[in-house]
Amino acid sequence: MNQSLTDQEKKILAREKASRKSNIQRRRISQNIAFTFLWLIGLAAIAILVWIIGYVFTKGLSTVNLEFLTTRPAGGFDGEGGISTTIVTTVYLVIFTLSIAAPLGIGAAIYFVEYANEAQNRSKFIQWLVRIARTGVEVLAGVPSIIFGLFGFAVFVSYMKLGFSLLSAGLSGACLVLPVIIRTTEEALLAVPESYREGSLGLGATKWQTVIGVVLPTAIPGIVTGIVLSVGRIISETAVFWVTLGGSYRLPQNLMSSGRTLALHVYMLATETRAFDKALGTSAILIMIIMILNLAINLSSKYFQKRLSGK
Amino acid sequence: MRSLQSNGKPKITAKNFNLFYGDFQALKEINVDIPEHSITSIIGPSGCGKSTFLRSINRMNELIPCVKTTGKIFLDANDIFTQDVVELRKQVGMVFQRPNPFPKSIFDNVAYGPRAHGLKNKAVLEEIVEKSLTDAALWDEVKDNLHKSGLALSGGQQQRLCIARALAVEPQVILMDEPASALDPIATLKIEELIQNLKKEYTIVIVTHNMQQAARASDHTMVFNMNPDRSGYIIEYGKTSQIFTNPHEKITEDYISGRFG
Amino acid sequence: MPRETLDSKLTQIQNEIYLLGSMVEQAILDATNTLKTRDLKEAKRIFEEDTVINEKRFALENAIIILLATQQPFARDLRLLAAMLLVVNELERMADYAKGIAKINIKIGKSDIDIPVRDFQKMAEQSVSMLHRSLSAFIEQNPNQAAAIPQEDDIVDELYTKIYHATIQYAITNPSYMDQANDILWIAHNLERFADRVTNICERTIFITTGELMEMSSNDDETDLSDF
Ligand SMILES: Nc1ncnc2c1ncn2[C@@H]1O[C@H](COP(=O)(O)OP(=O)(O)OP(=O)(O)O)[C@@H](O)[C@H]1O
Ligand SMILES: [Mg+2]
């Protein structure tokens, strides 16, 4: 083939080849630079993280022992006592908040994803309502938590006269995590292939049977993830509960009791006492719980993945 | 359009049926009789409304918000649009283009329909599951693994599972939208064989892009075409043997012999 | 056009059929001609060259079957290929008649008999003309032209009847001539059957274009006794 080329053409060809080669080299170099850069950034992020966790654990874990975990805080300027009641309060609050937020959030998401479209077609008013609700969820998801706290304080604590109590805190907490649950559930439902719904409806199942029988079971992993995320959010939240739960370190007797969560306890120890070591110890416990929760998300999503794909 | 001369009594009848997606007319003046206990294939160029027509027969199109229809479709002599839609879909089952087993066990997949219709008796369910899987030519392959997930089956097995799932409801009509388009030739032939066996008890309507499949597997062939405004209509409908050896319409001829456009 | 491969292969096969037709035409004309020239060497050549036609027919049949298998034709394409399969078969059988005439010619050998050469040549020319036009009609898929040809078969039939009666008459008065009469009748019969088969080609042409299978001539088979 080359014989048919004139000298002129051969030269052009050679130049073309050469330029292509240098181009490849140049591209390789820029790729290497980019990779190195990204590596450095990644390393820095991990280093900072390890530093924080390492700091908290090394300073904090020395105060942690069985006694610390099982005795109640005794208050005072030195932050006497352990953290037993705050753990229990945290558990109470998580359960109570979720028992309000989960059904509401999942229900709302099901309505938005499975029913709203149909309903919107039937009436302009519903269409308007749905749009407002959707926007509301979007906005709430981005609102700083202290605003939820102020709202909870104004409405539940003062206006409804529920005082600083598990009830006020649970209701406010529910407002806080509702957008999280709605959005993750919505996403999980939207990820269920349309073909499952068609398959079920095509067999003569009703809409409701389809949602309960096929859609929800398939969306469970996503929904569980949303709920676990909410648990994390409740555990680590301080601002909202600072203005709704009060801060009593006694064990709550009923829904109207005031209380103190782990995170709140850390905050109070750090700001109102000299027991900085105990604040760090409690923090270590908090971080450990959060890590366990993350692990739980990972394991559960792996488990569901396996079960759903049938492998 | 020439109408079908068939001795079979019509199972499905469309009368002046039109369908709109919003302002776009997808089906125009469909008039057709589909005979009982036979296999009718629907062929035609892409986008001419074959799936739309198929999905009209069990009112699956109603899931799409902007769909409007005029005219009538009858199942036996009953207007399907005045019937309860759940009841209708019990009688008119559907198998989709892509196998879509639920992420449940094989047993639960097949038992899904009967359970949805209120059947709880375990023994009866087991009987139905076995019969449906046998009819769908899948029983021997899965009988020892009924509790394995339906998703763990091969594509061809999944599609047969979906057919079994449809059979379990004991419909009168089975609609199939390109049921073999994702399958290898062996699985395809298995499904075609299966369809042949099913026609004794069911009326089958099957959309396909595979001319050979339509020619091999169906008794009657309905050819759809598109108007210049992209609305679909039936250009020819007749015995499969006639359509594939000697179609009356030039467009049919061009389409089946691959000289379209 | 999406079916270029199929179309070009079809054209190729049609050309080959045309060629096969020419070979058959040449064979029957030559065979009839050697009746006149009594050139036995030539007759032997015609007899042997039939294998060439046979081979060509198998090659064509094979090509058609490959197209059927690989292109999966429907409708008109399917009818065309099915018709081609039949037409090459017809042509091969027609060539066998030429071979048969050459064989009889060799059998007659040097013996001194009176062959109605002029009538045989008329029969052959008429048949070849019909074959030629029927193949044109077949290739061009012209049903009108094809429909007009079978009636010309009457000319060949009349010549056949004429030869038949004359030969029988002569054999009755000269019983020693019986053997030769038999040979002459066989030649006449071969030419007559040759023309009959043209009708089959015309039927296929109409089948391709209309999809109808119909009989075009009432006296084209051996059970026809009207002449006896
Ligand atoms: N949900 C929808 N909304 C709006 N238009 C639609 C919708 N579904 C289909 N259409 C339109 O309706 C027409 C017919 O579509 P349909 O899916 O019935 O075609 P088809 O014959 O099944 O095509 P294919 O052979 O590609 O599956 C197309 O023009 C398509 O764009
Ligand atoms: Mg389709």
Side-chain angles (χ1 to χ4, degrees):
Chain A
M1 195 185 105
N2 271 358
Q3 285 111 337
S4 60
L5 296 178
T6 64
D7 284 350
Q8 182 70 22
E9 283 169 333
K10 273 184 199 160
K11 250 184 231 159
I12 295 175
L13 206 67
R15 208 180 314 139
E16 181 75 8
K17 262 188 196 158
S19 83
R20 212 169 279 166
K21 201 172 190 179
S22 69
N23 184 328
I24 285 177
Q25 263 165 4
R26 211 167 47 232
R27 272 158 40 193
R28 203 166 285 152
I29 290 170
S30 60
Q31 167 172 313
N32 286 343
I33 292 176
F35 274 176
T36 320
F37 190 64
L38 289 175
W39 260 105
L40 287 177
I41 294 177
L43 273 179
I46 293 174
I48 294 171
L49 220 89
V50 170
W51 184 36
I52 294 175
I53 293 176
Y55 178 82
V56 172
F57 274 22
T58 47
K59 301 261 172 171
L61 279 182
S62 55
T63 49
V64 175
N65 51 37
L66 199 63
E67 199 200 333
F68 181 69
L69 291 177
T70 52
T71 48
R72 46 169 53 209
F77 198 53
D78 289 325
E80 300 291 325
I83 56 170
S84 68
T85 56
T86 64
I87 293 179
V88 175
T89 309
T90 307
V91 172
Y92 280 173
L93 191 64
V94 164
I95 292 174
F96 179 56
T97 307
L98 283 181
S99 62
I100 298 169
L104 265 180
I106 295 172
I110 290 177
Y111 181 80
F112 282 151
V113 176
E114 307 290 333
Y115 290 92
N117 274 339
E118 257 173 70
Q120 280 178 32
N121 271 0
R122 278 203 294 275
S123 118
K124 270 261 166 339
F125 177 66
I126 293 183
Q127 186 178 355
W128 182 78
L129 264 184
V130 166
R131 202 170 297 161
I132 296 223
R134 272 235 153 91
T135 321
V137 172
E138 295 291 313
V139 170
L140 285 184
V143 162
S145 60
I146 183 63
I147 312 268
F148 284 98
L150 290 179
F151 170 80
F153 180 78
V155 175
F156 303 127
V157 179
S158 311
Y159 178 71
M160 293 170 76
K161 301 202 169 43
L162 301 175
F164 294 116
S165 63
L166 265 180
L167 189 56
S168 299
L171 290 170
S172 312
C175 294
L176 178 75
V177 296
L178 204 52
V180 179
I181 294 181
I182 291 181
R183 292 182 73 182
T184 47
T185 307
E186 260 192 308
E187 247 142 65
L189 292 174
L190 286 172
V192 175
E194 203 49 37
S195 65
Y196 289 179
R197 297 185 181 85
E198 289 189 335
S200 169
L201 292 171
L203 290 168
T206 62
K207 181 104 200 175
W208 178 242
Q209 286 173 324
T210 301
V211 170
I212 294 296
V214 179
V215 179
L216 269 186
T218 314
I220 283 282
I223 298 174
V224 167
T225 305
I227 289 187
V228 178
L229 280 176
S230 312
V231 173
R233 187 85 198 260
I234 298 166
I235 292 178
S236 53
E237 182 57 42
T238 45
V240 173
F241 303 132
W242 174 237
V243 291
T244 53
L245 189 56
S248 155
Y249 49 73
R250 271 182 278 280
L251 195 67
Q253 298 304 311
N254 54 42
L255 280 179
M256 297 311 288
S257 317
S258 166
R260 182 189 285 197
T261 64
L262 271 169
L264 211 49
H265 189 53
V266 174
Y267 178 71
M268 289 181 164
L269 284 178
T271 53
E272 294 176 1
T273 70
R274 285 184 308 199
F276 199 65
D277 54 336
K278 287 197 173 169
L280 281 173
T282 315
S283 303
I285 300 287
L286 248 179
I287 290 177
M288 258 151 62
I289 293 176
I290 300 286
M291 281 171 144
I292 289 169
L293 274 177
N294 272 315
L295 198 70
I297 293 183
N298 272 334
L299 287 181
S300 79
S301 72
K302 266 198 198 116
Y303 165 76
F304 283 121
Q305 211 81 45
K306 224 156 124 186
R307 221 188 57 181
L308 285 177
S309 67
K311 294 288 147 52
Chain B
M1 192 207 80
R2 283 164 208 251
S3 68
L4 177 75
Q5 303 295 314
S6 168
N7 355 350
K9 117 177 197 287
K11 182 73 190 175
I12 302 158
T13 306
K15 283 226 164 73
N16 301 332
F17 184 70
N18 292 280
L19 184 143
F20 303 82
Y21 289 111
D23 292 332
F24 168 66
Q25 180 158 17
L27 292 175
K28 202 169 214 159
E29 290 296 308
I30 304 293
N31 281 295
V32 90
D33 279 338
I34 295 173
E36 195 169 32
H37 297 312
S38 70
I39 304 166
T40 302
S41 62
I42 302 183
I43 61 174
S46 191
C48 64
K50 305 179 295 291
S51 304
T52 303
F53 179 57
L54 200 71
R55 293 163 57 91
S56 302
I57 300 174
N58 68 345
R59 290 173 61 186
M60 218 55 174
N61 282 326
E62 282 171 22
L63 303 180
I64 301 163
C66 60
V67 166
K68 276 173 207 66
T69 62
T70 67
K72 299 220 148 110
I73 295 180
F74 298 93
L75 179 71
D76 295 319
N78 310 316
D79 184 347
I80 64 165
F81 293 106
T82 58
Q83 225 167 326
D84 176 45
V85 69
V86 169
E87 198 55 39
L88 171 73
R89 288 181 188 148
K90 228 166 103 178
Q91 294 166 41
V92 184
M94 188 153 203
V95 176
F96 299 84
Q97 175 169 0
R98 306 213 142 264
N100 61 344
F102 303 133
K104 298 173 181 290
S105 73
I106 293 170
F107 185 94
D108 288 342
N109 261 283
V110 182
Y112 184 86
R115 276 179 181 146
H117 299 127
L119 189 65
K120 292 206 180 70
N121 185 317
K122 188 120 198 299
V124 180
L125 276 175
E126 274 169 3
E127 200 174 303
I128 290 178
V129 168
E130 174 168 353
K131 178 171 184 331
S132 309
L133 285 169
T134 309
D135 286 350
L138 188 61
W139 175 251
D140 288 334
E141 289 160 64
V142 301
K143 63 176 178 233
D144 302 322
N145 284 315
L146 289 179
H147 294 286
K148 208 164 90 174
S149 165
L151 292 175
L153 296 173
S154 78
Q157 290 173 325
Q158 286 189 9
Q159 193 61 303
R160 278 178 283 149
L161 176 61
C162 292
I163 293 175
R165 195 174 68 182
L167 297 180
V169 184
E170 298 186 335
Q172 298 159 25
V173 177
I174 303 177
L175 309 172
M176 299 186 169
D177 196 347
E178 301 181 44
S181 66
L183 306 184
D184 77 37
I186 306 277
T188 303
L189 286 174
K190 267 194 187 156
I191 288 189
E192 285 175 17
E193 265 332 291
L194 161 69
I195 294 172
Q196 292 299 330
N197 293 333
L198 294 178
K199 83 171 178 189
K200 287 178 216 106
E201 290 172 61
Y202 306 89
T203 304
I204 295 166
V205 188
I206 170 171
V207 170
T208 176
H209 276 292
N210 181 332
M211 297 298 121
Q212 280 72 35
Q213 181 168 68
R216 274 193 305 259
S218 69
D219 303 310
H220 307 288
T221 299
M222 198 184 291
V223 188
F224 270 69
N225 189 36
M226 247 186 287
N227 288 309
D229 64 358
R230 290 178 47 237
S231 60
Y233 65 102
I234 298 175
I235 180 142
E236 188 166 358
Y237 180 27
K239 290 231 152 65
T240 298
S241 54
Q242 175 251 316
I243 298 273
F244 283 98
T245 56
N246 192 15
H248 297 304
E249 302 292 333
K250 174 88 169 63
I251 294 176
T252 311
E253 163 101 42
D254 288 347
Y255 181 68
I256 61 176
S257 54
R259 292 189 163 77
F260 202 76
Chain C
M1 216 49 173
R3 298 222 74 172
E4 269 164 29
T5 319
L6 176 60
D7 286 339
S8 78
K9 289 260 168 61
L10 285 174
T11 315
Q12 213 172 316
I13 292 177
Q14 282 177 322
N15 290 339
E16 294 287 313
I17 289 178
Y18 221 50
L19 198 63
L20 182 63
S22 308
M23 290 162 77
V24 174
E25 287 166 16
Q26 200 57 51
I28 197 83
L29 285 176
D30 288 352
T32 320
N33 202 37
T34 47
L35 288 175
K36 187 173 147 197
T37 59
R38 314 280 324 117
D39 180 347
L40 293 187
K41 252 201 203 143
E42 175 72 356
K44 200 151 188 291
R45 181 191 66 77
I46 296 166
F47 184 86
E48 276 160 6
E49 277 196 356
D50 186 55
T51 52
V52 179
I53 290 179
N54 286 351
E55 273 160 22
K56 189 153 191 69
R57 176 252 172 140
F58 285 132
L60 273 171
E61 198 171 323
N62 205 26
I64 293 168
I65 285 172
I66 287 172
L67 273 196
L68 282 171
T70 56
Q71 298 287 325
Q72 284 136 11
F74 277 127
R76 193 179 187 126
D77 298 329
L78 178 60
R79 299 201 300 271
L80 177 59
L81 281 164
M84 283 172 162
L85 215 46
L86 265 139
V87 167
V88 293
N89 182 46
E90 292 292 316
L91 289 173
E92 192 265 338
R93 296 301 302 276
M94 287 160 101
D96 283 347
Y97 294 130
K99 180 184 173 185
I101 293 172
K103 190 177 169 190
I104 295 166
N105 203 356
I106 294 166
K107 182 179 162 243
I108 292 170
K110 296 283 176 213
S111 70
D112 178 32
I113 67 165
D114 192 14
I115 303 169
V117 172
R118 279 197 57 81
D119 282 343
F120 280 155
Q121 267 179 331
K122 268 194 219 155
M123 279 178 92
E125 273 157 24
Q126 175 62 27
S127 307
V128 164
S129 155
M130 285 167 64
L131 171 60
H132 196 81
R133 281 173 293 132
S134 75
L135 278 182
S136 300
F138 179 77
I139 305 287
E140 287 156 18
Q141 300 183 15
N142 182 339
N144 298 332
Q145 199 186 334
I149 295 171
Q151 64 204 35
E152 293 179 29
D153 191 35
D154 292 349
I155 301 171
V156 181
D157 285 348
E158 268 162 34
L159 284 164
Y160 173 69
T161 317
K162 186 178 147 199
I163 294 169
Y164 180 83
H165 285 301
T167 309
I168 294 287
Q169 211 83 93
Y170 193 74
I172 289 170
T173 47
N174 302 299
S176 62
Y177 179 70
M178 207 42 126
D179 225 20
Q180 285 97 326
N182 193 31
D183 290 339
I184 288 179
L185 284 184
W186 261 114
I187 294 170
H189 178 78
N190 275 2
L191 285 168
E192 193 266 339
R193 293 294 302 147
F194 186 99
D196 283 346
R197 289 188 179 267
V198 172
T199 304
N200 294 344
I201 296 177
C202 296
E203 283 173 5
R204 296 299 134 185
T205 305
I206 288 169
F207 169 68
I208 294 170
T209 48
T210 65
E212 321 251 311
L213 281 168
M214 59 179 201
E215 190 95 12
M216 296 185 67
S217 163
S218 58
N219 58 341
D220 77 332
D221 59 32
E222 329 228 355
T223 57
D224 181 28
L225 297 173
S226 63
D227 292 332
F228 294 89

